[in-house]
Structures are given as structure tokens and as C-alpha cells.
Amino acid sequence: MAEKKQTLPRVLVVGPPTCFATLQPLYSHKFHFIHFEPYALSLSLQNFLHHHCPFSIPAILCSSNYSLSAHLLRLLPDLRLVVTTSAGTDHIDLRECRRRGIQVAAAGHLFSQDVADMAVALLIDVMRKISAADRCLRTHNLNNTPWDLFTFGSKLSGKRIGIIGLGSVGMEVAKRLGSFGCIILYNSKHKKATVSYPFYSSVVELATNCDALVVCCALNEQTKHIINREVILALGKGRFIVNVGRGGLIDEKQLVKCLREGEIGGAALDVFENEPYVPEELRAMNNVVLSPHCAAFTAESLMNLCELVAGNLEAFFLNKPLITPVMLPE
């Protein structure tokens, strides 16, 4: 059995991705998974490779929780494929991959509907104060206190919602919010010829004309801190921000400051700037809804993800086109 395993295509698994516990028993007969878990082993990847992998590694499987810098990629001279279980690729040095001729595969649009569902759920939660109401009932003795003293939430129907990033997730968010009678406005890298929603090239101008912002664009050099203090102040008091993209899209320090000063009504966040760290100030605020970067996690999508990951690995080792290739920058 050990000899057969050594003949299988080698895949270095770093992290590991959340789906790996399901993936491994399903596909260990096809791939030799070499598991590197930095938090458990207290080893650098360099030391791990030196002691445990004295042979070539052609493929890596990772998630967004593990950064593949140019330095780490250079530790693997025979690497030719990176498969990430995330839709985003900001944790991978794509320029180094292009330079080295390393192919990259991601989750593509697999999670778009799930993330859109979560975005709308978070928006409803923070506007209607669902989590705050739940905490109120669980932590306060309301037997002798009128329930109607709980502060009013905000209605969603008919509100002007600005979507930042009208890609696959943003379009799904727009569709769902349209069912609530919301007015959709958007900012994106380019104006979309196929939609009639009003386009704003300026995020500040978009925020000025919205009751809430839903952030779901990709994180890159151009979009880092796309939500800064100016945008938050333009959004204004009594209005809301939802982030299901990446934590770095929002200047978290400025968000905390504006929330503390009452400059906006609330925020609902599935992602954070320095994960897994979540600022204590955010955890203490009653007008903030927090979620542990799980917008994409559903039981149905987990099985689909395992099939997609295995399909990309299989395609690579059979010299076939990847199922969900990532376009690498020039």
C-alpha cells in the first residue's frame, strides 16, 4: 500500500483547507496528499519540506488562510500548479506564478449564490437588529420590562443599495435584493453594458446616494481600502455596510472609529483585515454583526468544491485544461 501511494501524483496540502477532511478519504486513491499544518507542527514550510519531502512537489492545495508568497513558492522548484479552495486569489503571488509558468485554479463562481445569500442575510440582520434582539432576550431579564423598549430597526424594502463589485456575487446580490423592491446602484471596475442599474465610477458618490453598501469585489492593489473614512462619512449616519469580499477592502481602523462615533448606523462583516484577529471594539458593539468568514460554507457547496478540486488536479496531471483556471497578470 505504501509503495502504491508513493507512485501517485504528489499534492502538498497547506493549511489545510476546510474541505480537506471530506476530500482526503474520497480521493486519496488518486493523489498522494502530503499534509503540512503549520499551526500544529510549529515548523516552517522550508523545514517541513527538508525533513519530510525529499522529492519533487508538482502541485499545492491551499485555502485563503495560507499565504503563498514568492518566497514560499521558490521553495518548490518543481511546482507547476496551485489549487486554492477559495474564489479569491489575493493570498497567492500570481505574478510569481506567471513568471514561473505555474498554473492556478480557484473555486470560480462555485460559491456565488451562497455568498450572495449570506450578504443579504447579514444586511437584513444588521438593519433589523436580529442578532442584537437575540442577545437582548438572552442576556437581559425582560420579565418586568416592556419588550417595546427595544430600539427599532430599519426597513430593507425600497432602500437604495450600492453594490461594490458587480461580478458573479454582486449580480446574485442584486437579484435577491430586487425581490425586496430595493433600488440597486453599483460601482465596478467597468460599467456593465448588460445591466440597467445606475453606475458610479466614484465610490464616494455611490455611498452618498445609498442607504447601504454591500462590498463583494476582489481584493487587489486597486481595491485595498476601497472603503475608507471618506466613503464611510459619505454613506452617513443611520446607514450600513456589509462586507462579504475580503477584509482588506475596508480600512478597519477607520470603520471602528466611525462606528464608535456614530457616523454610520452599523456594519455586518464576514471578513476581517487581519484574520483570524477580530478587533475587540467590533466584538463589543451592538450594531455590528460578525461572521467567521463562512459565507461560502454550505453542505451542498462543500461536496461540489471537493469535486472541483479533484477535477482540477486530475486535469493537470492528465495534461488537460484546468476546469477553473485563473488568469494571471501580465
Side-chain angles (χ1 to χ4, degrees):
M1 185 63 132
E3 290 180 6
K4 181 182 178 183
K5 188 175 183 181
Q6 291 299 328
T7 64
L8 295 174
R10 299 184 182 98
V11 180
L12 177 64
V13 181
V14 292
T18 304
C19 71
F20 186 61
T22 303
L23 177 77
Q24 185 176 25
L26 291 174
Y27 295 100
S28 58
H29 67 290
K30 288 190 173 183
F31 309 106
H32 178 191
F33 292 115
I34 302 161
H35 186 190
F36 170 64
E37 191 167 357
Y39 308 110
L41 296 173
S42 300
L43 276 177
S44 69
L45 180 57
Q46 184 170 5
N47 287 335
F48 177 82
L49 293 172
H50 177 72
H51 291 292
H52 298 277
C53 305
F55 35 68
S56 65
I57 301 285
I60 282 183
L61 172 62
C62 68
S63 71
S64 62
N65 295 327
Y66 194 86
S67 178
L68 290 180
S69 64
H71 170 70
L72 289 181
L73 291 170
R74 287 168 192 156
L75 297 176
L76 297 158
D78 297 312
L79 185 67
R80 291 294 173 265
L81 174 70
V82 172
V83 178
T84 178
T85 57
S86 61
T89 56
D90 53 285
H91 57 294
I92 303 168
D93 191 322
L94 297 180
R95 295 187 188 281
E96 176 68 9
C97 288
R98 182 179 180 84
R99 189 187 73 78
R100 292 262 308 277
I102 299 170
Q103 297 184 71
V104 179
H109 302 326
L110 180 67
F111 302 129
S112 297
Q113 293 188 354
D114 294 326
V115 175
D117 288 347
M118 179 65 96
V120 175
L122 289 171
L123 183 60
I124 294 172
D125 192 329
V126 71
M127 291 183 72
R128 294 301 306 270
K129 302 187 177 181
I130 296 172
S131 292
D134 180 80
R135 285 192 297 273
C136 181
L137 284 180
R138 291 175 187 274
T139 60
H140 294 81
N141 181 4
L142 298 179
N143 293 332
N144 300 312
T145 305
W147 284 15
D148 58 9
L149 290 181
F150 184 76
T151 54
F152 291 168
S154 296
K155 145 179 216 176
L156 174 61
S157 302
K159 287 294 193 295
R160 298 165 301 167
I161 311 298
I163 298 176
I164 298 179
L166 202 66
S168 59
V169 173
M171 284 298 298
E172 293 292 338
V173 172
K175 276 194 240 175
R176 285 155 176 73
L177 291 176
S179 300
F180 286 89
C182 293
I183 299 163
I184 305 299
L185 311 90
Y186 78 100
N187 165 272
S188 205
K189 188 175 180 180
H190 303 291
K191 185 176 181 179
K192 310 286 183 181
T194 54
V195 301
S196 58
Y197 308 130
F199 169 73
Y200 289 80
S201 58
S202 164
V203 179
V204 173
E205 190 178 348
L206 176 67
T208 302
N209 289 278
C210 288
D211 299 298
L213 290 176
V214 179
V215 187
C216 45
C217 59
L219 176 62
N220 51 47
E221 293 172 3
Q222 290 72 42
T223 60
K224 183 174 174 60
H225 288 181
I226 194 170
I227 305 297
N228 54 28
R229 183 172 178 82
E230 184 183 8
V231 173
I232 297 170
L233 293 178
L235 186 62
K237 297 180 186 295
R239 296 176 178 178
F240 305 89
I241 293 176
V242 172
N243 188 7
V244 291
R246 285 289 186 267
L249 296 168
I250 297 180
D251 186 333
E252 205 167 76
K253 289 182 180 177
Q254 290 301 321
L255 176 63
V256 169
K257 186 175 181 182
C258 289
L259 284 164
R260 193 170 55 233
E261 294 170 353
E263 297 292 350
I264 59 170
L269 310 168
D270 182 56
V271 288
F272 306 90
E273 194 160 5
N274 298 298
E275 294 179 5
Y277 171 72
V278 179
E280 176 61 35
E281 298 96 326
L282 289 176
R283 288 187 279 143
M285 291 177 181
N286 213 30
N287 60 340
V288 175
V289 178
L290 305 174
S291 172
H293 201 152
C294 65
F297 296 166
T298 64
E300 296 84 354
S301 289
L302 176 65
M303 292 308 301
N304 292 335
L305 178 61
C306 288
E307 291 175 7
L308 180 62
V309 166
N312 275 311
L313 289 170
E314 207 160 38
F316 168 76
F317 286 114
L318 292 174
N319 292 315
K320 293 181 178 180
L322 299 178
I323 301 170
T324 50
V326 173
M327 295 295 293
L328 301 180
E330 294 292 340

